[in-house]
Each structure stands twice: as C-alpha cells, then as structure tokens.
Amino acid sequence: MRILHLLNHTLRLNGHVHAAVDLACAQTAMGHTVCVGSGHGEFDELLARRQVTSVRIDHRRRPLDLVKSLLALRRHVRTWQPDVIHAHMVTSAVLAWPVCKLAGIPLVTTVHNEFERSATLMGLGSRVIGVSAAVARSMQRRGVPARKLSVVLNGTIGSARFEGRGTVPMTLPSPSVLFVGGQHPRKGLPTLIEAFDRVHARCPQARLYVVGDGPLLGTYKEMAMAAACADAVTFAGPVRDPYPWMLGADIFVLPSHADPAPLVLSEAREAGCAIVASAVDGIPELLEGGSAGILVPPGDPDNLAAALCSLIESPSRLKDWRANSQLNIAHLAIDRVAKETLKVYEAARAPARLHGASARAERLG
C-alpha cells in the first residue's frame, strides 16, 4: 500500500509527531511504501534512514501559504499516487479533504488532541481514528458518526524513534518520583507539587524530578520553590532522551487533567516504573483499567499524595506495582498500532474498490 501521512512538522515537540513518525517507520518495516508530508524537522533524518520519503507541505495558517500548500499537495498526490492519505492534525485534514475528494482517495484522520475545539474538523475523514476509546466517545458526542470511528490505542514499544536511546539508568536516590511532560495546565503539575509537599512532610527522604519544558516552566518552578519541599524538587528542564530517567526512577506520576492517550505512559511502563496517574480520558486504557498502575482522581492532591505515600512507605507494595506495570505490556507495541491502523485503511478503501468493481461490471455487461 502507498501511504501518505500529513502532519504540521517533524520536530521533537509534540506527541502527535512522535506517534506519526513511529507509525510511518513501522509501516515501511512491514513492506509498505510511505511518505510524510510536513513542514519538516529533526525526524526527517530518521525517516530517511527507515526508507520513508519526505515532501514539504507547509502547514502555516496564513491564507496565501495554505493556498500554496493545497496546490503543492495536489501536485504531489498526482505524481506519487497514494492509496490513502492519513492526516494527523486539523490543518492536515483541511488541506487533504478537497484533494482526496478530487482524486478519489480515502482520507483517514487520527484525533491526537481531542481537547482542542478544532478537533471536530477531524471528522472530515472518511474514517476517523481515536487514540483511545475515550477520544472516540468524545468525537461521537461532537457529531462524528459511529460508523466512521475506530479506536487504535497508542503504543510506542519497539519504535524506530528509540534507536540508540540510553539504557543506563540515571542515578536517582530512592524513593524517587518522576514526572515527564510539557509544562502546560492540562498536565496537572501544580496538583503534583501540592501533593508532593504533603508527601515530603511524611516521607522527607522522597525526591521529585520534573523533566520537560513548556510555557509555564518558570511559574511551576516558583511554585515549587515556595513550598516546604523545595529542596527535594529538581527541575531538569528539556531532556532529549528521558528514558534513563525512567529507568532510574521508582515511581512515575502523570497527574493530567486532560490527556487523550499519553505516549509517555507506555515508555514509563516499559522502563518498569510503578505508575500513579489520573483517571482521565485514555489514561485508564493505557494502565489496563488500573491493573498496571494506580489511578487517582484528577486535580485531587490529597488522593495523589496518599497514593504516592502508599508506595514510598511500603517497599513491598512498590515492588508489586513495578511488577504490575508489565501486565499485558505487549499490547503497547508499535507493531500492534500499525496493524490495526492498516485495517482502518482497508475499511476506508473498501467503498472505492466496490464502486470500481461495480463500474467495471456495468461496462462488461
């Protein structure tokens, strides 16, 4: 199959980019011919090594740029002739929709950022993939018909993106609590800081490490420095490879207020951390409904602190939850994601093939 992925860029900034790059590389490994159309970025080199071609399709939301991008996409589709176009962001879907209509090519969209209002436009796809069942339900409430919706739960294990990643654990004093994520309100870091302040009062040996960057990094640093636990909190900032931090940590915590299906959870599970995370959106699905990690209500520092203390104060419980993180972990493999996505492509292509067969039968008749 010839597959054209569209996304705004290939920079190491966003989860949807990581997911699309993982998928494209897995599909070429399965023998498909794959191209990525984007504004380019750091992952282009990896894509080239994995025999994924790249073409520049600018996604800047300026009228003249969008017209040029639409024409560039149309030209590329005419020459490259994909069997399916897979759009990963709203701008990608809007650009691809008229091109797919003119060319008679199915458009598949994946909803990565369901929390954005504009995500409703992902319903332009002839098939719409939700990265969790929670996302699919949300899209159905927004008016996308159930017949168009499929669920392909995110997974990263075995990703080409991890080639050459560090395997030596970061040396972190135990008990260590780790957060990896963007410094955005929906990630719930203020809840974690408030909870950890209570944890530290009961367990002064505990240490919190915050890895990641974002617009509110300075604000969150100030919040932590004003707390009684200030000396026990380390902000590591942006880290190119957070996996050694996960290997070195005892507990991985994700206190999100909204999170469709965070890739970081499969990485933390692969690293063998005990997991504590919010019971919101797709997080419970990534934690086997609470069997592979402890689920707590979002925005609730009391419950989060209690869950962390229950692990820190009991080495045997901590050991058990580290083991629990491995439950059914093979389901989070990128190969499973790729195979399930290919089934969605086949379903999207079926009406066009049926129409073509009918047309041929009429001509022969």
Side-chain angles (χ1 to χ4, degrees):
M1 193 182 303
R2 297 178 68 82
I3 305 160
L4 174 59
H5 290 278
L6 290 180
L7 57 157
N8 48 353
H9 58 73
T10 55
L11 298 170
R12 295 178 179 270
L13 295 175
N14 307 104
H16 77 275
V17 174
H18 296 174
V21 168
D22 290 350
L23 180 59
C25 293
Q27 288 169 339
T28 55
M30 292 176 175
H32 301 280
T33 303
V34 184
C35 177
V36 169
S38 74
H40 291 324
E42 299 138 289
F43 281 125
D44 288 350
E45 183 180 342
L46 170 63
L47 292 169
R49 288 199 305 272
R50 294 291 175 137
Q51 287 75 56
V52 178
T53 58
S54 297
V55 61
R56 185 173 186 85
I57 304 293
D58 197 339
H59 279 58
R60 286 177 293 183
R61 295 185 183 184
R62 297 186 299 206
L64 183 58
D65 289 327
L66 290 174
V67 171
K68 290 179 179 177
S69 298
L70 184 62
L71 295 174
L73 178 59
R74 176 66 172 149
R75 287 193 299 270
H76 182 64
V77 167
R78 281 175 171 169
T79 57
W80 201 73
Q81 297 186 339
D83 296 309
V84 64
I85 295 180
H86 189 161
H88 292 267
M89 293 300 288
V90 169
T91 304
S92 307
V94 172
L95 286 172
W97 184 77
V99 173
C100 288
K101 288 294 183 183
L102 289 170
I105 299 170
L107 170 63
V108 172
T109 61
T110 289
V111 184
H112 296 280
N113 296 336
E114 172 274 333
F115 49 86
E116 295 180 350
R117 290 184 181 179
S118 60
T120 301
L121 289 170
M122 300 304 275
L124 290 170
S126 50
R127 289 291 187 277
V128 181
I129 295 173
V131 294
S132 64
V135 169
R137 289 192 295 269
S138 175
M139 295 305 293
Q140 193 170 354
R141 289 194 296 269
R142 294 184 187 205
V144 178
R147 59 180 171 78
K148 292 174 61 171
L149 285 162
S150 299
V151 175
V152 179
L153 184 66
N154 274 342
T156 65
I157 296 174
S159 162
R161 191 166 42 87
F162 296 148
E163 64 179 22
R165 72 177 176 183
T167 57
V168 178
M170 183 73 66
T171 302
L172 303 177
S174 187
S176 54
V177 178
L178 175 68
F179 167 91
V180 177
Q183 313 298 301
H184 303 279
R186 71 180 181 88
K187 289 295 185 178
L189 196 51
T191 301
L192 174 56
I193 293 170
E194 187 176 346
F196 186 75
D197 200 36
R198 300 173 193 186
V199 170
H200 190 256
R202 283 176 54 176
C203 310
Q205 75 277 22
R207 296 292 180 269
L208 171 63
Y209 297 89
V210 178
V211 172
D213 200 359
L216 295 178
L217 176 58
T219 301
Y220 295 156
K221 278 185 176 181
E222 290 177 5
M223 187 180 301
M225 293 307 102
C229 64
D231 291 342
V233 181
T234 299
F235 282 80
V239 172
R240 186 177 182 85
D241 180 10
Y243 194 62
W245 290 81
M246 297 176 183
L247 290 172
D250 296 306
I251 303 166
F252 183 87
V253 61
L254 190 63
S256 302
H257 296 165
D259 231 331
L263 298 176
V264 71
L265 281 182
S266 63
E267 297 175 44
R269 286 186 58 186
E270 184 181 10
C273 296
I275 312 289
V276 179
S278 300
V280 67
D281 297 337
I283 289 178
E285 297 167 56
L286 290 166
L287 295 177
E288 302 295 323
S291 296
I294 299 173
L295 295 169
V296 297
D300 187 337
D302 287 334
N303 271 291
L304 179 55
L308 291 172
C309 285
S310 74
L311 297 174
I312 293 169
E313 293 175 338
S314 174
S316 62
R317 181 173 168 82
L318 175 61
K319 182 180 178 181
D320 287 345
W321 277 104
R322 294 189 75 145
N324 290 348
S325 71
Q326 303 307 296
L327 178 65
N328 197 27
I329 196 168
H331 188 64
L332 299 181
I334 186 60
D335 282 353
R336 188 269 307 164
V337 174
K339 288 173 184 176
E340 291 183 5
T341 303
L342 289 167
K343 289 181 181 178
V344 177
Y345 294 168
E346 292 293 349
R349 296 177 67 202
R353 288 199 300 269
L354 181 61
H355 176 75
S358 299
R360 286 193 298 274
E362 289 179 10
R363 288 197 300 270
L364 292 172

